[in-house]
Amino acid sequence: MKNIWHVMRNELLQITRMRSVLLILFIMPLLLIFVLGSALSSQFKAEDYVPAPAKLAVFNEDSGQMKAPLQQFFANDQVREILQVTEVQSEEEMNERIELNEVDGGLVIPASFSKHIMSGASSEWTYYGGSNTSANDTIKILLQKFTDQATQTQAAVMVLGPQAAAVSAPVDRTSQVVQGTLQDNLYNASAMEYYAGSMLIMFLLFSGMSAAIGLQKERENKTLQRIMVAPVTVAQALLGKLLGVAVLSMIQCSVIIIFTWVVYGVNWGEHLGAIAIICLCTIVAAISLAAILAVLFKSSKAVESVYSSLVTIMTFLSGGMIVFVGDQMQTVGQFTLNYWAAGAILRFMLNVDTSTAWNNLYVLIGIAVALMAGAMLISRRVVTLHE
Amino acid sequence: MSFIELDHVLKRYDTKITVNHLSLTIEKGEVFGLLGPNGAGKSTTIHMLTGLLPYDQGDIRIGGLSVKKSTLDIKRQIGLVPQELAIYETLTARENVTFFGRLYGLSGKLLRERVDEALDFVGLRDRAGDKPASYSGGMKRRLNIACAIMHHPELIIMDEPTVGIDPQSRNHILESIKKLNEMGSTVIYTSHYMEEVEAISTRVGIMDHGQLIACGTKEELLDQIGRDETLFMATQDMKERALEELQQHAHIRSVQFRENQLELLLRPSDTVLQDILFILSSHEVKITSFQRVEPNLETLFLSLTGRSLRD
């Protein structure tokens, strides 16, 4: 037991002497969470990204039956969040406002608009777009929603006669502007929360890489051989080294959680115990994977490149870097460790779908146990001498 | 009962036999030199002695205990100075020695004393707080030794500890080995530098192709090839008559002369050198330099295997 402690302490002492490693372990994740959380927040819930409403100048010469529904449409609260409408008195005033960038576009509604619609004849309004293309698109989409309804009214009039307009006109058009919800509850997290969870898992897996490289370097530098000459068993040496990395990973984990909570305002939720278990399982899986790779590959450089590629690919496939990787990729992502670990963490953080979160955790425990068993089976070979 | 006993030890990797039924005994207090060219099986033998490698047949006993059955007990008695530098570059010299000391169960005041003692012994006490990165190759080699001796092992195994270092550090290491032996440790020293082994060993074993091809004191081994010496001379104005007289001398076994270089194989005699000088001076042959080569283990190895130790 003492030997495990000595080897573990030595591992920690060595790692803390390597500034570059400390930088990667503690600064990089916090930096990445900030960068990804800020840059990709538009893919997450609205409170992260609120676009400025488009501004529309309307010169309405029509005083017919369609005027009131149009005013109701523009006055709707949800429409007003996206579109600010200003009535103008002339087409010249409208053009002037567009040129001065006071509005993003202008709409001219002719005096005969309602009359033509109600008689079933062809009718059109004219939209003048400004320089802001995204604002133009927003306005066009909203106007299209209204003209769709106008077309329905016209169709009713043509078939049933003018009295049909009264029936079809008063429509609740708020449904036209309801924002769609994203396909999974997970993405209701803010970008910071999402990336705090996924980056935590990714960097815990990366800490396993330092275990794999550490083991390989000990083998290359013959210090592992020297440890094995001392009265130390293979299990003690291996366990001591891996525990050193595990302790460091737990410290890294705590730093990420506390820092993102205090500085980035990430809410880690009420299930901190469950999150701690997820982190522990991820660490066990990572260091077990490290031990296996240390046996399979003979140089620390090979281990480094294989391990880092593996973690990066797993993180990408599980949606840890880009949220929507496509359905096929998402299916493949289910075979990654990150999928189960990050999925469980995010659900516990958001306190949604916790039964699925627990299921994810059980799968993660299974993966960790399987990898640990594999590592134990081949542990003897980790310290095998190659003459 | 000998301190170390190897009894028909066999080690194979796949189908290749690297140590072939090796039997050897080493007494307590000996400095045993293990000579052999690269690939002779020296390092494999050492790794089996230290419990790093399992052996396939036979048995190794140290202090009466089987390495196979009492691995941990035997490890406590051994200090290995590996061929490669096995030290942590990120730790200071003191931290390196302290870490390995802890693995041998040392702690507290005793550990501090032993670490100081070991660093003192290898002459690194003044640089104990420095990291090996700032050390010369020789200093790193000395630290490599300090990490192996701080627990006062009964058996110290040194696997080519002087590879690639300057003469000063080499001498320091060889002196250290003698001191450790005087302090009571049994030493096994492997090298393919014949002069080193000759200088410090009480007995020498020569390995080739996984087998012990000769074993004994230096004198015993040299008796196997006789005591003939070789004399090399660079000359000027050599005369035919002088060469004839040299060939007729009773203690000169052979005379070869090529491009002013004279090579004489001499039988042991107290007067032969005087006679040679007299013959050459009487024929006014000038001698510009000469070298007398005594029989050595290199010659023995050459005669036993037909190749040089460093091949």
Side-chain angles (χ1 to χ4, degrees):
Chain A
M1 194 63 193
K2 271 187 179 176
N3 283 335
I4 296 173
W5 166 249
H6 295 321
V7 176
M8 186 189 89
R9 206 163 72 164
N10 182 55
E11 184 70 14
L12 279 171
L13 186 61
Q14 282 188 78
I15 296 173
T16 51
R17 291 281 165 85
M18 292 184 273
R19 284 180 189 165
S20 58
V21 174
L22 291 179
L23 195 77
I24 290 169
L25 287 180
F26 295 104
I27 307 297
M28 278 291 281
L30 298 173
L31 211 63
L32 261 178
I33 291 166
F34 176 76
V35 171
L36 289 170
S38 305
L40 301 175
S41 62
S42 60
Q43 297 184 35
F44 292 82
K45 65 179 184 180
E47 61 197 57
D48 271 334
Y49 174 69
V50 182
K55 292 173 184 169
L56 175 70
V58 178
F59 174 51
N60 194 352
E61 291 180 300
D62 179 34
S63 53
Q65 262 182 296
M66 295 304 291
K67 187 174 184 178
L70 185 64
Q71 281 175 338
Q72 273 177 29
F73 179 78
F74 287 149
N76 180 278
D77 286 344
Q78 285 173 294
V79 172
R80 280 167 58 197
E81 280 180 16
I82 306 167
L83 187 67
Q84 284 180 2
V85 177
T86 310
E87 296 269 355
V88 291
Q89 300 307 313
S90 66
E91 209 169 321
E92 288 74 27
E93 185 188 347
M94 181 192 77
N95 288 333
E96 194 182 324
R97 286 191 174 219
I98 292 170
E99 280 172 20
L100 292 171
N101 280 331
E102 287 179 5
V103 292
D104 299 306
L107 179 69
V108 177
I109 304 172
S112 57
F113 187 73
S114 293
K115 189 180 166 192
H116 284 159
I117 292 221
M118 291 306 155
S119 63
S122 161
S123 179
E124 62 182 33
W125 57 23
T126 311
Y127 174 72
Y128 296 91
S131 57
N132 186 337
T133 49
S134 64
N136 283 332
D137 291 340
T138 306
I139 295 167
K140 281 177 188 172
I141 289 167
L142 285 169
L143 292 178
Q144 183 64 43
K145 297 295 175 192
F146 183 80
T147 53
D148 286 348
Q149 186 55 46
T151 307
Q152 283 176 29
T153 305
Q154 190 180 41
V157 168
M158 287 170 76
V159 175
L160 303 170
Q163 69 277 12
V167 181
S168 64
V171 173
D172 178 14
R173 290 178 176 85
T174 54
S175 61
Q176 307 291 354
V177 290
V178 168
Q179 286 196 322
T181 52
L182 296 167
Q183 58 185 331
D184 194 314
N185 282 335
L186 289 187
Y187 306 124
N188 278 334
S190 73
M192 283 294 179
E193 285 166 350
Y194 185 84
Y195 285 113
S198 63
M199 288 297 116
L200 173 66
I201 296 302
M202 187 176 92
F203 277 90
L204 286 181
L205 287 174
F206 266 123
S207 67
M209 186 171 81
S210 63
I213 294 170
L215 267 173
Q216 271 298 347
K217 282 201 169 156
E218 287 257 16
R219 204 152 73 171
E220 286 166 9
N221 298 339
K222 304 293 175 185
T223 41
L224 188 60
Q225 180 183 330
R226 179 158 240 160
I227 292 173
M228 295 318 303
V229 170
V232 178
T233 63
V234 173
Q236 286 172 341
L238 202 59
L239 207 60
K241 281 201 70 66
L242 297 180
L243 272 178
V245 175
V247 167
L248 196 76
S249 298
M250 289 307 279
I251 296 170
Q252 179 195 26
C253 188
S254 310
V255 168
I256 291 175
I257 289 175
I258 293 169
F259 189 91
T260 53
W261 173 49
V262 174
V263 180
Y264 300 160
V266 170
N267 181 6
W268 287 88
E270 297 163 358
H271 301 275
L272 286 176
I275 290 173
I277 296 170
I278 295 165
C279 292
L280 196 64
C281 289
T282 308
I283 292 165
V284 170
I287 57 177
S288 303
L289 185 65
I292 292 168
L293 289 180
V295 171
L296 295 178
F297 297 94
K298 301 291 179 218
S299 79
S300 54
K301 282 189 177 171
V303 168
E304 188 175 358
S305 71
V306 170
Y307 199 105
S308 59
S309 304
L310 200 65
V311 172
T312 310
I313 290 168
M314 285 201 302
T315 307
F316 176 78
L317 288 176
S318 65
M321 288 175 181
I322 301 165
V323 184
F324 302 108
V325 288
D327 290 343
Q328 282 182 329
M329 288 285 198
Q330 210 162 26
T331 310
V332 179
Q334 291 180 17
F335 293 96
T336 66
L337 200 143
N338 307 53
Y339 177 87
W340 303 101
I345 275 201
L346 285 166
R347 286 184 174 91
F348 281 126
M349 272 171 84
L350 300 171
N351 200 17
V352 294
D353 207 4
T354 45
S355 61
T356 308
W358 283 110
N359 287 337
N360 284 3
L361 180 52
Y362 298 144
V363 174
L364 182 66
I365 290 170
I367 294 171
V369 168
L371 283 170
M372 193 166 67
M376 283 166 74
L377 276 174
I378 59 168
S379 64
R380 180 85 215 173
R381 287 184 60 197
V382 176
V383 290
T384 297
L385 290 167
H386 298 281
E387 291 292 297
Chain B
M1 188 175 61
S2 299
F3 180 51
I4 300 166
E5 293 174 313
L6 286 88
D7 184 13
H8 292 92
V9 177
L10 183 131
K11 175 69 189 173
R12 62 163 71 88
Y13 289 106
D14 298 323
T15 54
K16 190 188 172 199
I17 293 174
T18 50
V19 173
N20 193 0
H21 294 285
L22 177 66
S23 291
L24 173 69
T25 56
I26 299 169
E27 301 303 323
K28 206 168 175 69
E30 273 197 86
V31 176
F32 187 84
L34 197 54
L35 265 173
N38 289 330
K42 303 188 300 288
S43 292
T44 305
T45 303
I46 279 172
H47 289 150
M48 291 190 296
L49 272 166
T50 52
L52 278 173
L53 271 179
Y55 39 90
D56 299 314
Q57 278 179 35
D59 198 14
I60 300 175
R61 286 180 296 278
I62 298 174
L65 299 171
S66 167
V67 170
K68 208 169 250 178
K69 292 171 188 161
S70 314
T71 314
L72 289 183
D73 288 333
I74 283 173
K75 280 179 172 181
R76 285 189 188 93
Q77 301 178 36
I78 297 177
L80 172 69
V81 180
Q83 189 173 346
E84 296 89 356
L85 290 168
I87 49 177
Y88 294 102
E89 293 280 339
T90 47
L91 306 184
T92 65
R94 182 180 297 282
E95 286 167 341
N96 264 289
V97 182
T98 302
F99 169 61
F100 290 110
R102 284 195 179 113
L103 295 183
Y104 284 93
L106 300 174
S107 61
K109 194 182 167 199
L110 180 64
L111 174 66
R112 286 193 295 277
E113 283 173 4
R114 291 287 183 84
V115 169
D116 284 344
E117 183 189 86
L119 289 168
D120 219 12
F121 185 81
V122 296
L124 289 175
R125 182 88 179 265
D126 296 341
R127 301 284 304 274
D130 295 343
K131 290 177 185 169
S134 64
Y135 285 1
S136 68
M139 289 164 84
K140 286 179 184 176
R141 286 271 163 203
R142 276 143 58 189
L143 176 58
N144 207 28
I145 293 174
C147 291
I149 60 168
M150 102 298 290
H151 59 293
H152 290 184
E154 285 187 61
L155 171 62
I156 299 170
I157 301 174
M158 296 192 162
D159 192 3
E160 310 222 14
T162 56
V163 171
I165 58 166
D166 57 279
Q168 198 184 349
S169 291
R170 182 185 298 249
N171 289 338
H172 192 287
I173 289 171
L174 295 178
E175 284 305 314
S176 305
I177 294 166
K178 284 180 188 170
K179 269 194 231 169
L180 286 166
N181 181 240
E182 284 164 14
M183 287 158 67
S185 292
T186 304
V187 179
I188 297 178
Y189 185 91
T190 82
S191 178
H192 55 259
Y193 292 117
M194 168 270 299
E195 319 84 54
E196 287 181 5
V197 174
E198 277 189 351
I200 62 165
S201 304
T202 50
R203 253 181 354 126
V204 178
I206 299 178
M207 282 190 81
D208 193 33
H209 297 301
Q211 290 180 310
L212 195 67
I213 57 173
C215 186
T217 62
K218 182 184 163 188
E219 288 70 27
E220 286 168 351
L221 292 173
L222 292 178
D223 280 346
Q224 292 182 25
I225 55 163
R227 295 281 179 163
D228 293 351
E229 290 178 346
T230 308
L231 188 67
F232 296 95
M233 294 178 126
T235 62
Q236 284 178 358
D237 305 326
M238 178 58 78
K239 311 287 184 316
E240 278 296 321
R241 184 69 193 138
L243 290 173
E244 282 170 19
E245 283 184 31
L246 288 171
Q247 278 167 343
Q248 286 163 8
H249 195 285
H251 288 102
I252 299 176
R253 288 178 62 180
S254 74
V255 178
Q256 288 186 3
F257 183 74
R258 201 167 41 236
E259 295 172 358
N260 288 329
Q261 294 293 319
L262 182 65
E263 185 182 330
L264 305 169
L265 189 60
L266 311 177
R267 290 198 177 97
S269 161
D270 293 336
T271 57
V272 66
L273 201 59
Q274 253 180 316
D275 294 345
I276 292 166
L277 292 173
F278 178 77
I279 291 167
L280 293 176
S281 63
S282 65
H283 292 285
E284 295 180 340
V285 175
K286 290 177 185 165
I287 301 164
T288 54
S289 72
F290 76 94
Q291 188 188 5
R292 187 178 175 184
V293 180
E294 290 184 359
N296 57 31
L297 296 176
E298 181 82 49
T299 325
L300 172 66
F301 188 81
L302 198 65
S303 71
L304 288 172
T305 66
R307 60 198 174 107
S308 164
L309 264 171
R310 282 161 208 166
D311 279 350

